[in-house]
Structures are given as structure tokens and as C-alpha cells.
Amino acid sequence: MEPWHTSLVSAEATSLRIRGYDIAALMQKRGFAATVFLLHRGRLPTAGEERLLNGVLVASADHGAGAPSCAAARLVASGNRQSLSAAVAGGILTIGDAHGGAGAACMTMIASVIARARDLDLTIQEAADRLVDESRSAGRRVPGLGHRVHTVDPRVDVLFSMARDAGIAGDGVAAMQALEVAVRSRVKPMPTNVDGALGAVLFDMGFPPEAGMLLFIVGRVAGLTAEVAEEYAREKPMRIKFAVQYDGEPPRELE
Ligand SMILES: CC(C)(COP(=O)(O)OP(=O)(O)OC[C@H]1O[C@@H](n2cnc3c(N)ncnc32)[C@H](O)[C@@H]1OP(=O)(O)O)[C@@H](O)C(=O)NCCC(=O)NCCS
């Protein structure tokens, strides 16, 4: 049989290596964020990159039981007490363009702002203004902006200043900040959210767009496992009930 080809991990009878590094050395000398970076990028991070990716993972870890991913995980755990993994997977399934996955679209949008500024000899702000005008004409929301809870997302400035301190912040952070300015005057004041911030710093770290969603998932799984564990430990099965009001056809008879 033709073997699968991979450059991630080699697992032999007595050894295990990630991207060529012995697992024991990684376990003893490096942290989880460095290992995530190594898996995705094929090299170990610099100290600044490691701190920043760690910040991204911590920022993504949990947003309370009411966040869609956490609520979904608890709902699955409420109805199915026989599968921890189903509950965690149920939470992950909510992650998408509106929740936790907007970082991927942000990274594509940031790349387009930067390419437009370069190709048309515009400032980043001018390119961001045009992109927001086009999004509005097309009736599209701008990913990475707005939040159901926060008027200021407490994770954003921290990630941006960590990126600046590490000498990593560049056009990605500048483009995201320009998009926030463009939306403020064209739609309404809306904060950059965690997806926008992690999209910007991952862009400046050289990650591809899909990392904007995948690395959020890596972080959020930490919170989902705790949410599910608490649901099992503290709550009765089937405790989650919604108020539901029927507003369809009144009772009627079959002909
Ligand atoms: C996060 C989000 C879902 C919150 O939505 P919300 O609670 O409905 O937001 P608000 O009540 O503050 O705003 C509602 C209005 O502002 C506009 N608006 C909200 N976010 C917008 C955005 N990112 N770009 C443009 N317009 C936006 C909407 O068009 C909406 O008007 P409508 O109801 O006439 O369509 C929303 O801001 C959004 O879709 N953001 C983009 C996706 C994203 O970044 N998700 C990650 C969240 S952490």
C-alpha cells in the first residue's frame, strides 16, 4: 500500500518526534504554545512569537457559558451524559464566520487592504475606507469588528501591545486598526473583537488565513473541556430548558 506522506510527526516503536524534535525534549524544555507553533509552522518560535501565540491561545480559551461554543457544549452535555467528546465537539461546531472563526476572514481582508494600498499607491487607511465602502454596498459585515457583550474587548489592546513589544506588529495590525476607524465613521463605533485582533497578529506573524480559525479552536477547546466538566459535575441532566412560543398555524383538521 502507498504510505501517507507527512512532515508533522514520526511515531516509531520507541520514539516520537514532532517536526524532527524529540517529544521528551519538547515536553521538558518547551511549552504548549511553542509546540503549537512548531506543528503549524515547522520551526520553533522566537521568544516574542511564543509569548504572542500564548496570548492568542489564552485570549481564545473561554468567554463564559453564554458564548455560542460554550452554550452548545453544555446543551449537548445536558442531553447526553455518555459522551464527553460529543459535548466538546458540539461546542466546536458552532465556531464559524460569526463566532470565533472571523479571524480567518479577517486575515484575507487584511491581505486585500495591504495589496490594494500597494497596487493603487494608497495609504492603508484609504485602502481600508474603500474596502468598508464596498462591504457596505454589498450588505456584508466586516469581520473582526463588533461584539455582543463588549464595547471595548479587553483582549485586543493587550494582543496589539504584545505584538508591538515583540517587534512583530506591522501592516496587519495597522490594517485592522484602519478598518475599525473606517467602520466607526461609516457604520457606527464598533470595537475590534478578539477574532480581529488575533487575525491581525497572526497575519503579522506570517500565518496563513485558516490559522485565524484553527488557532482559536486550539484555545477554545481548553474552555470547552472545563465547561463540559462543570456541566457534568454541577448540573442535572436535561436541566437546560428554553422558553419557546409557537406562532404557526392554529389547530386545524385534516380534510
Ligand atoms: C459580533 C456580531 C455578531 C454582533 O452582532 P450584533 O449583536 O447584531 O451587533 P450590534 O447589535 O452591535 O449591531 C447590529 C447592527 O450593526 C451592524 N454591524 C454589526 N457588526 C458589524 C460589522 N462587523 N460590520 C458591519 N456592520 C456591522 C449590523 O449590520 C447590524 O445592523 P442590522 O441589524 O441592521 O443588520 C457582529 O458584530 C458581527 O457579525 N461581527 C462580524 C463577525 C465577527 O467578527 N465575529 C466575531 C465575534 S467575537
Side-chain angles (χ1 to χ4, degrees):
M1 192 184 78
E2 180 68 15
W4 288 6
H5 294 278
T6 176
S7 57
L8 297 177
V9 173
S10 61
E12 307 295 340
T14 59
S15 81
L16 181 56
R17 287 179 179 272
I18 296 181
R19 298 281 200 178
Y21 291 107
D22 182 54
I23 196 73
L26 288 171
M27 289 163 65
Q28 288 166 330
K29 296 183 184 155
R30 301 302 301 243
F32 183 63
T35 306
V36 172
F37 190 104
L38 173 65
L39 277 162
H40 279 265
R41 297 290 292 276
R43 65 171 174 85
L44 285 163
T46 63
E49 287 170 332
E50 182 172 353
R51 262 196 306 279
L52 189 52
L53 181 57
N54 190 58
V56 165
L57 297 176
V58 173
S60 311
D62 205 330
H63 198 268
S69 48
C70 303
R74 282 178 176 265
L75 189 58
V76 174
S78 177
N80 177 357
R81 275 294 211 267
Q82 294 169 313
S83 179
L84 291 162
S85 55
V88 173
I92 294 171
L93 289 176
T94 66
I95 294 173
D97 57 349
H99 169 59
C106 264
M107 290 171 78
T108 305
M109 178 180 63
I110 286 167
S112 143
V113 168
I114 293 166
R116 191 179 293 220
R118 186 191 55 230
D119 297 346
L120 303 179
D121 203 18
L122 303 171
T123 63
I124 285 194
Q125 188 61 59
E126 288 166 340
D129 290 348
R130 289 193 191 185
L131 194 137
V132 169
D133 286 337
E134 286 165 17
S135 294
R136 274 180 51 79
S137 311
R140 285 194 304 267
R141 291 187 177 198
V142 181
L145 291 169
H147 204 282
R148 291 195 309 178
V149 176
H150 300 303
T151 49
V152 173
D153 189 322
R155 301 161 288 189
V156 171
D157 279 350
V158 186
L159 285 177
F160 287 170
S161 64
M162 288 173 81
R164 267 182 224 109
D165 292 348
I168 290 169
D171 286 350
V173 170
M176 198 61 230
Q177 290 180 318
L179 286 160
E180 182 179 327
V181 170
V183 164
R184 189 181 307 146
S185 58
R186 285 164 174 75
V187 188
K188 62 176 188 175
M190 263 183 287
T192 298
N193 57 45
V194 69
D195 293 9
L198 67 82
V201 303
L202 292 174
F203 180 93
D204 283 338
M205 274 199 277
F207 279 93
E210 62 268 24
M213 184 182 298
L214 294 175
L215 296 179
F216 179 91
I217 292 172
V218 173
R220 181 52 55 97
V221 163
L224 294 179
T225 53
E227 298 281 344
V228 169
E230 186 179 73
E231 187 69 29
Y232 270 60
R234 226 167 110 156
E235 305 293 350
K236 289 184 188 165
M238 294 293 280
R239 61 109 183 168
I240 300 177
K241 295 179 194 143
F242 298 105
V244 175
Q245 190 164 15
Y246 175 74
D247 64 357
E249 296 287 342
R252 49 185 168 165
E253 302 301 327
L254 284 170
E255 295 288 312

